[in-house]
Amino acid sequence: MNVLTVCTPLVITVIVYMGDWGLAKLDVQSPALTRANNTVEKRIKHLIKELKNSKEMGVCTKKIEDEYQKAVIAKSRLMDVKEAK
C-alpha cells in the first residue's frame, strides 16, 4: 500500500505529460489560449464598429485607433504563442 501511495503521483504526472504532448502534436489549443483569442477578436470587432461610428459622427478617433492597434498587437502575440507550442 505504501508503494502505491508513492508511485501514484509519478504515474499521474507521466500520463498528464503524455496527454499534453499528444494534444500539442494534434495542434489542439488550450482552453485558456482559445478564450484569450476569442476575447481579443471580439474586442477588435467592437473597436472596428466603434471606429466606423465615430468617423460617421465626426468624433475624434485617435484613442479608438490606439486601442485598435494594441488589440491587433495582442492578437499577433497570441498567434506567436500558438506557434511556439
Side-chain angles (χ1 to χ4, degrees):
M1 193 65 160
N2 215 6
V3 173
L4 185 61
T5 306
V6 173
C7 291
T8 302
L10 297 173
V11 171
I12 290 174
T13 302
V14 169
I15 291 170
V16 169
Y17 178 76
M18 288 174 22
D20 189 40
W21 179 82
L23 291 175
K25 284 292 183 187
L26 294 173
D27 198 27
V28 175
Q29 290 184 13
S30 70
L33 184 58
T34 302
R35 273 193 307 276
N37 195 19
N38 289 340
T39 301
V40 171
E41 285 196 19
K42 285 179 185 177
R43 183 68 180 151
I44 289 173
K45 288 178 184 177
H46 173 74
L47 287 169
I48 289 172
K49 288 178 187 176
E50 197 173 319
L51 187 61
K52 182 180 175 184
N53 290 339
S54 295
K55 284 183 179 180
E56 287 175 359
M57 293 190 308
V59 178
C60 179
T61 59
K62 178 70 175 151
K63 187 171 182 176
I64 299 170
E65 289 172 356
D66 290 342
E67 286 184 43
Y68 175 76
Q69 289 299 321
K70 289 178 186 176
V72 169
I73 290 169
K75 175 73 174 169
S76 173
R77 288 183 180 157
L78 282 174
M79 290 170 57
D80 290 344
V81 166
K82 181 183 176 199
E83 289 175 6
K85 281 191 150 193

